[in-house]
Coordinates of all heavy atoms in Angstrom, one line a residue:
F116 N 30.8 121.3 -140.2 CA 29.8 120.5 -139.5 C 28.4 120.9 -140.0 O 27.5 120.1 -140.1 CB 29.9 120.6 -138.0 CG 31.2 120.0 -137.5 CD1 32.3 120.8 -137.1 CD2 31.3 118.6 -137.3 CE1 33.5 120.2 -136.6 CE2 32.5 118.0 -136.9 CZ 33.5 118.8 -136.6
E117 N 28.3 122.2 -140.3 CA 27.0 122.8 -140.7 C 26.7 122.2 -142.0 O 25.5 121.8 -142.3 CB 27.0 124.3 -140.7 CG 27.1 124.9 -139.3 CD 27.4 126.4 -139.4 OE1 27.6 126.9 -140.6 OE2 27.4 127.0 -138.3
H118 N 27.7 122.1 -143.0 CA 27.4 121.6 -144.3 C 27.2 120.1 -144.3 O 26.5 119.5 -145.2 CB 28.5 122.0 -145.3 CG 28.3 123.5 -145.7 ND1 27.2 124.0 -146.3 CD2 29.2 124.5 -145.5 CE1 27.4 125.3 -146.6 NE2 28.6 125.6 -146.0
F119 N 27.7 119.4 -143.3 CA 27.4 118.0 -143.1 C 26.0 117.8 -142.6 O 25.5 116.7 -142.6 CB 28.4 117.3 -142.1 CG 29.6 116.8 -142.7 CD1 30.9 117.2 -142.4 CD2 29.5 115.8 -143.6 CE1 32.1 116.7 -142.9 CE2 30.7 115.2 -144.2 CZ 31.9 115.7 -143.8
K120 N 25.3 118.9 -142.1 CA 24.0 118.8 -141.5 C 24.2 117.9 -140.3 O 23.3 117.1 -140.0 CB 23.0 118.3 -142.4 CG 22.7 119.3 -143.5 CD 21.6 118.9 -144.4 CE 21.4 119.9 -145.6 NZ 20.3 119.6 -146.5
F121 N 25.3 118.0 -139.6 CA 25.6 117.1 -138.5 C 24.6 117.3 -137.3 O 24.3 116.3 -136.6 CB 27.1 117.4 -138.0 CG 27.6 116.3 -137.1 CD1 27.4 115.0 -137.3 CD2 28.4 116.7 -136.0 CE1 27.9 114.0 -136.6 CE2 28.9 115.6 -135.2 CZ 28.7 114.3 -135.4
G122 N 24.1 118.5 -137.2 CA 23.1 118.7 -136.1 C 21.9 117.9 -136.2 O 21.4 117.3 -135.2
E123 N 21.5 117.7 -137.5 CA 20.3 116.8 -137.7 C 20.6 115.4 -137.4 O 19.8 114.6 -136.8 CB 19.9 116.9 -139.2 CG 19.4 118.2 -139.7 CD 19.0 118.3 -141.1 OE1 18.9 117.2 -141.7 OE2 19.0 119.4 -141.7
F124 N 21.8 114.9 -137.7 CA 22.2 113.5 -137.4 C 22.4 113.3 -135.9 O 22.1 112.2 -135.3 CB 23.4 113.1 -138.2 CG 23.1 112.8 -139.6 CD1 23.5 113.7 -140.6 CD2 22.3 111.7 -140.0 CE1 23.2 113.5 -141.9 CE2 22.1 111.5 -141.3 CZ 22.5 112.4 -142.3
I125 N 22.9 114.3 -135.2 CA 23.0 114.3 -133.7 C 21.6 114.1 -133.1 O 21.4 113.2 -132.2 CB 23.7 115.5 -133.2 CG1 25.1 115.6 -133.6 CG2 23.5 115.6 -131.7 CD1 25.8 116.9 -133.2
A126 N 20.6 114.8 -133.6 CA 19.3 114.7 -133.1 C 18.7 113.3 -133.4 O 18.0 112.6 -132.5 CB 18.4 115.7 -133.7
Q127 N 19.0 112.7 -134.6 CA 18.5 111.4 -134.9 C 19.1 110.3 -134.1 O 18.5 109.3 -133.6 CB 18.7 111.1 -136.4 CG 17.8 111.9 -137.3 CD 18.2 111.7 -138.8 OE1 18.4 110.5 -139.2 NE2 18.2 112.7 -139.6
L128 N 20.4 110.5 -133.8 CA 21.2 109.6 -132.9 C 20.6 109.6 -131.5 O 20.4 108.6 -130.9 CB 22.6 109.9 -132.9 CG 23.5 109.4 -134.2 CD1 24.8 110.2 -134.2 CD2 23.7 107.9 -134.2
D129 N 20.3 110.8 -131.0 CA 19.8 111.0 -129.7 C 18.4 110.3 -129.6 O 18.1 109.6 -128.6 CB 19.7 112.4 -129.3 CG 19.4 112.7 -127.9 OD1 20.1 112.1 -127.1 OD2 18.5 113.4 -127.6
D130 N 17.5 110.5 -130.7 CA 16.2 109.9 -130.6 C 16.3 108.4 -130.6 O 15.4 107.7 -130.1 CB 15.4 110.3 -131.9 CG 15.1 111.8 -131.8 OD1 15.1 112.4 -130.7 OD2 14.7 112.4 -132.9
A131 N 17.3 107.8 -131.3 CA 17.5 106.4 -131.3 C 18.3 105.8 -130.1 O 18.6 104.6 -130.1 CB 18.2 106.0 -132.6
N132 N 18.6 106.7 -129.1 CA 19.4 106.3 -127.9 C 20.7 105.8 -128.3 O 21.3 104.8 -127.7 CB 18.6 105.3 -127.1 CG 17.3 105.9 -126.5 OD1 17.4 107.1 -125.9 ND2 16.3 105.2 -126.5
L133 N 21.3 106.3 -129.4 CA 22.6 105.8 -129.9 C 23.7 106.9 -129.7 O 24.9 106.6 -129.9 CB 22.5 105.4 -131.3 CG 21.6 104.2 -131.7 CD1 21.6 104.0 -133.2 CD2 22.2 103.0 -131.0
L134 N 23.4 108.1 -129.3 CA 24.4 109.2 -129.4 C 25.5 108.9 -128.4 O 26.7 109.1 -128.7 CB 23.6 110.6 -129.1 CG 24.6 111.7 -129.1 CD1 25.3 111.9 -130.5 CD2 23.8 113.1 -128.9
Y135 N 25.1 108.6 -127.1 CA 26.2 108.3 -126.1 C 27.1 107.2 -126.5 O 28.3 107.3 -126.4 CB 25.5 108.0 -124.8 CG 26.5 107.8 -123.7 CD1 27.2 108.8 -123.1 CD2 26.7 106.5 -123.2 CE1 28.1 108.6 -122.1 CE2 27.7 106.3 -122.2 CZ 28.3 107.3 -121.6 OH 29.3 107.1 -120.6
K136 N 26.5 106.1 -127.1 CA 27.3 105.0 -127.5 C 28.2 105.3 -128.6 O 29.4 105.0 -128.7 CB 26.4 103.9 -128.0 CG 25.5 103.2 -126.8 CD 24.7 102.2 -127.4 CE 23.8 101.5 -126.3 NZ 22.9 100.5 -126.8
A137 N 27.7 106.2 -129.6 CA 28.6 106.6 -130.7 C 29.7 107.5 -130.2 O 30.9 107.3 -130.6 CB 27.7 107.4 -131.7
V138 N 29.5 108.4 -129.3 CA 30.5 109.3 -128.7 C 31.5 108.5 -128.0 O 32.8 108.7 -128.2 CB 29.9 110.3 -127.8 CG1 31.0 111.1 -127.1 CG2 29.1 111.3 -128.6
Q139 N 31.1 107.4 -127.3 CA 32.1 106.6 -126.5 C 33.0 105.8 -127.5 O 34.2 105.7 -127.2 CB 31.3 105.6 -125.6 CG 30.5 106.2 -124.5 CD 31.4 107.1 -123.6 OE1 32.4 106.6 -123.0 NE2 31.2 108.3 -123.5
Q140 N 32.4 105.4 -128.5 CA 33.3 104.6 -129.5 C 34.2 105.6 -130.3 O 35.4 105.2 -130.4 CB 32.4 103.9 -130.5 CG 33.2 103.0 -131.5 CD 32.3 102.0 -132.3 OE1 31.2 101.7 -131.8 NE2 32.8 101.6 -133.5
V141 N 33.8 106.8 -130.6 CA 34.6 107.7 -131.4 C 35.8 108.2 -130.4 O 36.9 108.3 -130.9 CB 33.8 108.9 -131.8 CG1 34.7 109.9 -132.4 CG2 32.8 108.4 -132.9
K142 N 35.5 108.5 -129.2 CA 36.5 109.1 -128.3 C 37.6 108.1 -128.1 O 38.7 108.5 -127.7 CB 35.9 109.6 -127.0 CG 35.6 108.5 -126.0 CD 35.0 109.1 -124.8 CE 34.6 108.0 -123.7 NZ 35.8 107.3 -123.2
S143 N 37.4 106.8 -128.3 CA 38.4 105.8 -128.0 C 39.4 105.7 -129.1 O 40.4 105.0 -129.0 CB 37.8 104.4 -127.7 OG 37.1 104.0 -128.8
A144 N 39.2 106.3 -130.3 CA 40.1 106.3 -131.4 C 41.3 107.2 -131.1 O 41.1 108.4 -130.8 CB 39.4 106.8 -132.7
D145 N 42.5 106.7 -131.1 CA 43.7 107.4 -130.8 C 44.1 108.2 -132.1 O 44.8 107.6 -132.9 CB 44.7 106.6 -130.3 CG 45.9 107.4 -129.7 OD1 45.9 108.6 -129.8 OD2 46.8 106.7 -129.1
L146 N 43.7 109.4 -132.2 CA 44.1 110.2 -133.5 C 45.0 111.3 -133.1 O 45.1 112.3 -133.8 CB 42.8 110.7 -134.1 CG 41.8 109.7 -134.5 CD1 40.6 110.4 -135.1 CD2 42.3 108.6 -135.3
R147 N 45.9 111.2 -132.0 CA 46.8 112.2 -131.7 C 47.9 112.4 -132.8 O 48.3 111.4 -133.4 CB 47.5 111.9 -130.3 CG 46.6 111.9 -129.1 CD 47.3 111.4 -127.9 NE 47.6 110.0 -128.1 CZ 48.7 109.4 -127.5 NH1 49.4 110.1 -126.7 NH2 48.9 108.1 -127.7
P148 N 48.3 113.6 -133.1 CA 49.3 113.8 -134.1 C 50.6 113.1 -133.9 O 51.3 112.7 -134.9 CB 49.6 115.4 -134.0 CG 48.4 115.9 -133.3 CD 47.9 114.8 -132.4
E149 N 51.0 112.8 -132.6 CA 52.3 112.1 -132.4 C 52.1 110.7 -132.7 O 53.1 109.9 -132.8 CB 52.7 112.3 -130.9 CG 51.7 111.9 -129.9 CD 50.9 113.1 -129.4 OE1 50.6 114.0 -130.3 OE2 50.5 113.1 -128.2
V150 N 50.8 110.1 -132.8 CA 50.6 108.7 -133.1 C 50.3 108.6 -134.6 O 50.7 107.6 -135.3 CB 49.3 108.2 -132.3 CG1 48.9 106.8 -132.8 CG2 49.6 108.3 -130.9
I151 N 49.6 109.5 -135.2 CA 49.3 109.5 -136.6 C 49.5 110.8 -137.3 O 48.9 111.8 -136.9 CB 47.8 108.9 -136.9 CG1 47.6 108.8 -138.4 CG2 46.8 109.7 -136.2 CD1 46.3 108.1 -138.7
S152 N 50.4 110.9 -138.2 CA 50.7 112.2 -138.9 C 49.6 112.7 -139.7 O 48.6 112.0 -140.0 CB 52.0 112.0 -139.8 OG 51.6 111.2 -140.9
N153 N 49.7 114.0 -140.1 CA 48.7 114.6 -141.0 C 48.5 113.8 -142.3 O 47.4 113.5 -142.8 CB 49.0 116.0 -141.4 CG 48.6 117.0 -140.3 OD1 47.9 116.6 -139.3 ND2 49.1 118.2 -140.4
H154 N 49.7 113.3 -142.9 CA 49.7 112.5 -144.1 C 48.9 111.2 -143.9 O 48.0 110.9 -144.6 CB 51.1 112.3 -144.6 CG 51.1 111.4 -145.8 ND1 51.4 110.1 -145.7 CD2 51.0 111.7 -147.1 CE1 51.4 109.6 -147.0 NE2 51.1 110.5 -147.8
D155 N 49.2 110.5 -142.8 CA 48.6 109.2 -142.6 C 47.1 109.4 -142.2 O 46.2 108.6 -142.6 CB 49.3 108.4 -141.5 CG 50.6 107.9 -141.9 OD1 50.8 107.8 -143.2 OD2 51.4 107.5 -141.1
M156 N 46.8 110.5 -141.5 CA 45.4 110.8 -141.2 C 44.6 111.1 -142.4 O 43.5 110.7 -142.6 CB 45.3 111.9 -140.2 CG 44.0 112.2 -139.6 SD 43.3 110.8 -138.6 CE 41.7 110.7 -139.2

Side-chain angles (χ1 to χ4, degrees):
F116 294 103
E117 290 169 358
H118 285 298
F119 270 120
K120 297 183 179 177
F121 194 41
E123 295 178 16
F124 285 106
I125 289 172
Q127 290 178 41
L128 284 164
D129 192 50
D130 290 341
N132 293 318
L133 294 175
L134 185 56
Y135 180 74
K136 293 178 181 177
V138 169
Q139 292 303 302
Q140 184 165 336
V141 171
K142 77 179 180 64
S143 62
D145 190 354
L146 304 184
R147 291 173 298 154
E149 55 267 32
V150 174
I151 180 166
S152 66
N153 277 352
H154 177 262
D155 286 344
M156 189 64 222

